[in-house]
Amino acid sequence: MAENDKKLYPLKFKPVSRPLGYGTETFHIADTGEVDSAVLQGWLEGNTLGEIMETFLDGISGEGPYYYTGRQFPLMIRTLQTVSDSPVLVSPSDAVAASRYDSLGKAKLWYVLDASKGSFLRIGLAEDVSAENFCKLCADGTLHEAMNNVEPVRGKAYLIKPGTLHQVSAGIKILEIAQASALEIPVCGGGAGIDVVYDVIDFVDLEKHCGCDGECHCHDEGCGCGHDGDCECGHHHDDGEDHHHHDDGKIADTQEFTVTRLELADPMHIYPENFGSFLVYTCLEGSAAVRPDDGAFPCELAPGESVLIPADMQDLVLFPQKPGTVLLESVMLRDLPPQEDAA
């Protein structure tokens, strides 16, 4: 492992693809225990995210995120491509996951990259269900019939909270931004047994669900900060006359992560110290150049690629390389708890 007295820089990782029972998954940034992404470039090349966290601690994740998740990097980015329907899945909260599985829980955001005709998502229950009836539906293999059917739309995002039942059909490509956890528990389909159902019964959400958590929207443009020029959000916009900003750029805002869609029409100056957290940029459309102010290890982002900006990194600029460049910015904006006064 390299020394920790060198400057940090934008980190790209080698994608890791592996089969799922219902398609394939490709990890772009992850340290879940099962997958540990390796750096592609610079003086940290070949080191894994887990190894880097062991050395640089909150210099990578930020003081607030490090307080809550320690040496495990808190976020993962992966792409799902389905060829058949997934089982009905559920993930626990942080509290349940820590006590039972020694893991982070799993909140996730599904951003639809593509969806074939007739494909669907199922998110939450269409009506309240008793614990007894839930077990019966799982045993009968008919739980999906009690769930909300949601038509996946390209460019639409769906926030799936811990405890929410969810399923993805064949023919969908999803960008998933989630807590760094492998805990996706199949409760119906995929060989799930009744013992698994009994194990989740106390944390699965059995109440009627709207199917979208009120957090899913089609977003046309905007960084979400609501400001021009320098602002406390950590962005500086080098505005051209045709560049606009809208509050609806923010597509998820939870204690686990905040995700903002950026229409990168002009160069954007990023000040990591203003966030107190790592940042991850994922390219959806077009392409972007990531240029640190000190010139160290610049990189390019093509569609489907992600880059991790360490919390202790110097300022940088995002340059659009093509018209219509769109990025997602992911960050964990979770402050330290207030300090108690000394007695």
Side-chain angles (χ1 to χ4, degrees), residues 265-284:
D266 302 291
M268 181 179 290
H269 210 125
I270 305 297
Y271 302 94
E273 71 274 12
N274 288 0
F275 291 88
S277 166
F278 66 89
L279 297 105
V280 172
Y281 291 99
T282 302
C283 184
L284 299 177

Side-chain angles (χ1 to χ4, degrees), residues 61-79:
S61 60
E63 190 176 14
Y66 185 80
Y67 176 87
Y68 292 101
T69 66
R71 297 187 182 190
Q72 181 176 10
F73 187 72
L75 204 69
M76 59 178 260
I77 311 291
R78 69 171 176 167
T79 302

Side-chain angles (χ1 to χ4, degrees), residues 9-81:
Y9 58 94
L11 300 173
K12 292 183 72 175
F13 295 86
K14 182 179 180 180
V16 177
S17 295
R18 62 183 192 176
L20 288 169
Y22 49 93
T24 60
E25 59 181 349
T26 300
F27 293 88
H28 305 283
I29 298 176
D31 175 17
T32 66
E34 296 179 0
V35 176
D36 196 0
S37 300
V39 178
L40 274 174
Q41 91 291 22
W43 60 271
L44 286 168
E45 181 179 356
N47 289 288
T48 68
L49 182 54
E51 290 170 342
I52 294 169
M53 283 295 299
E54 287 287 333
T55 300
F56 294 98
L57 309 174
D58 60 354
I60 298 293
S61 60
E63 190 176 14
Y66 185 80
Y67 176 87
Y68 292 101
T69 66
R71 297 187 182 190
Q72 181 176 10
F73 187 72
L75 204 69
M76 59 178 260
I77 311 291
R78 69 171 176 167
T79 302
L80 301 174
Q81 178 68 69

